[in-house]
């Protein structure tokens, strides 16, 4: 009873309060009432397995961290199945509901997540509330598989597959000829979406892990950080001014090829504004503007004001 009262007074009571604030149908109303009454089974998982023991998706729990008895933090070490699915009450078959998750969810994503966060709301997930995924009503079980020994989203390749199942535009960019070496697409790479983004939310734009886009890029491209004697303004301002961060059909993930990219800012700069007249010349052939201005990320040369050296 001490363990039960402690659990109800912390995580599960938070879930019950969330249910009460958002309940909008009969199923959720029943679940609120069950939480408040706290009619937990005396048999725990043994009672559940009398009916559900032949379901492989259910029994796979015991191979997962959630089904472990080796740690007191595991749901199985607390109220077992009822830690997540709520008190059994009068549940027998379909006569009284339990909380379901995933494809068979019978409550909103917010209410499902309140159960998960009763244990998992730590420093890595402190920014979940108000995050883009939270506002989009993404449930934890939309990405995570609970009843399994190895949650696919926890591997780099599995994570990419999970993220791109929703983020189709970024998935298309990642398949372009110039893109980051993502896991599963490039041998030996373990780069994944969370190399740059925090899936559980952050205080920065696009849920970036660093304080800005440039700092995120510098975590790998430190040689571009500077400071340098002669700075190129777009570089210090925003890497995405020139680069398409998820992939591009142009070299170096550029948003446009030179000289068009350069002329989007330098169109009035003398020779840079010349129109291609059909003849091969230094302004459009080879590396175009980079034939001369090769240090586009900045120069430390005393005579590098034009980013030529």
């Amino acid at each position: 009873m001490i363990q039960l009262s402690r659990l109800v007074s912390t995580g599960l009571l938070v879930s019950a309060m969330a249910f009460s604030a958002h309940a909008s149908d009969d199923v959720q109303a029943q679940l609120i009432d069950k939480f408040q009454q706290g009619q937990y089974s005396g048999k725990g998982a043994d009672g559940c397995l009398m009916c559900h023991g032949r379901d492989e998706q259910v029994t796979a729990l015991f191979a997962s961290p959630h089904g472990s008895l080796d740690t007191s933090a595991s749901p199985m070490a607390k109220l077992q199945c009822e830690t997540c699915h709520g008190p059994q009450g009068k549940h027998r078959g379909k006569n009284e509901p339990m909380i379901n998750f995933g494809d068979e969810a019978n409550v909103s994503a917010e209410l499902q997540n309140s159960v998960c966060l009763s244990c998992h709301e730590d420093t890595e997930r402190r920014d979940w509330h108000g995050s883009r995924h939270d506002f989009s009503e993404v449930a934890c079980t939309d990405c995570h598989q609970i009843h399994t020994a190895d949650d696919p989203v926890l591997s780099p390749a599995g994570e990419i597959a999970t993220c791109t199942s929703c983020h189709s535009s970024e998935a298309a960019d990642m398949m372009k000829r110039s893109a980051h070496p993502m896991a599963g697409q490039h041998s030996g790479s373990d780069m994944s979406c969370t190399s740059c983004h925090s899936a559980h939310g952050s205080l920065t734009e696009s849920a970036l892990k660093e304080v800005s886009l440039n700092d995120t890029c510098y975590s790998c491209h430190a040689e571009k950080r500077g400071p340098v004697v002669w700075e190129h303004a777009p570089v210090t301002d925003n890497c995405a001014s020139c680069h398409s961060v998820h992939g591009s059909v142009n070299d170096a993930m550029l948003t446009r090829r030179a000289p068009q990219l350069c002329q989007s800012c330098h169109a009035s700069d003398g020779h840079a504004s010349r129109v291609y007249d059909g003849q091969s010349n230094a302004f459009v052939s080879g590396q175009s503007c980079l034939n001369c201005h090769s240090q586009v990320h900045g120069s430390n040369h005393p005579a590098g004001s034009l980013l030529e050296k």
Side-chain angles (χ1 to χ4, degrees), residues 5-305:
S5 62
R6 187 190 306 118
L7 190 59
V8 171
S9 65
T10 54
L12 291 182
L13 185 56
V14 171
S15 299
M17 293 172 65
F19 287 171
S20 180
H22 300 86
S24 59
D25 56 37
D26 293 340
V27 172
Q28 293 188 158
Q30 281 185 284
L31 291 169
I32 296 167
D33 187 56
K34 289 179 68 175
F35 261 108
Q36 292 174 338
Q37 293 184 28
Q39 295 179 0
Y40 292 89
S41 167
K43 295 182 179 180
D46 290 338
C48 302
L49 293 174
M50 290 178 63
C51 294
H52 299 285
R54 295 182 181 180
D55 189 333
E56 293 182 356
Q57 290 185 333
V58 173
T59 56
L61 170 71
F62 297 104
S64 75
H66 288 88
S68 172
L69 293 173
D70 296 333
T71 171
S72 60
S74 166
M76 193 54 60
K78 297 177 180 178
L79 294 172
Q80 300 183 356
C81 305
E82 293 169 281
T83 303
C84 299
H85 293 281
Q88 178 177 317
K90 299 178 181 179
H91 173 72
R92 296 291 186 278
K94 297 182 179 180
N95 65 319
E96 187 176 86
M98 304 287 285
I99 297 175
N100 291 334
F101 300 86
D103 293 339
E104 298 181 357
N106 55 1
V107 294
S108 67
E110 181 181 7
L111 305 187
Q112 294 176 64
N113 294 345
S114 71
V115 176
C116 301
L117 292 173
S118 66
C119 290
H120 292 287
E121 192 163 19
D122 52 22
T123 55
E124 292 184 7
R125 300 163 187 84
R126 63 188 174 188
D127 296 319
W128 170 262
H129 300 291
S131 69
R132 182 168 297 183
H133 282 150
D134 182 27
F135 277 131
S136 299
E137 297 184 349
V138 175
C140 302
T141 50
D142 289 338
C143 301
H144 293 278
Q145 294 183 22
I146 307 305
H147 286 229
T148 181
D150 298 304
D151 185 359
V153 78
L154 298 182
S155 70
E159 175 190 303
I160 294 170
T162 300
C163 296
T164 54
S165 66
C166 290
H167 298 281
S168 56
S169 177
E170 287 74 15
D173 285 343
M174 287 161 53
M175 298 301 293
K176 293 177 180 177
R177 73 181 186 91
S178 179
H180 285 112
M182 305 300 285
Q185 299 175 9
H186 293 77
S187 177
S189 174
D190 62 355
M191 187 177 186
S192 65
C193 305
T194 54
S195 296
C196 301
H197 301 278
S198 175
H200 298 109
S202 76
L203 298 179
T204 61
E205 59 177 326
S206 301
L208 293 172
K209 296 176 71 172
E210 303 296 336
V211 296
S212 69
L213 173 63
N214 280 21
D215 283 329
T216 302
C217 299
Y218 294 152
S219 63
C220 290
H221 303 283
E223 74 281 4
K224 304 296 190 295
R225 178 188 295 274
V228 294
V229 175
W230 305 104
E231 293 182 337
H232 193 186
V235 176
T236 58
D237 179 44
N238 192 324
C239 300
S241 297
C242 298
H243 298 279
S244 179
V245 294
H246 291 107
S248 170
V249 296
N250 301 311
D251 290 339
M253 298 171 63
L254 293 174
T255 56
R256 282 183 286 178
R257 296 178 61 186
Q260 286 82 11
L261 175 60
C262 305
Q263 289 176 348
S264 65
C265 290
H266 300 284
S268 61
D269 286 359
H271 67 267
S273 62
R274 293 182 183 178
V275 177
Y276 177 48
D277 58 6
Q279 299 179 1
S280 177
N281 57 58
F283 301 119
V284 294
S285 63
Q287 292 294 306
S288 187
C289 304
L290 278 70
N291 289 331
C292 298
H293 306 280
S294 58
Q295 303 302 312
V296 293
H297 290 98
S299 173
N300 276 316
H301 194 281
S305 60

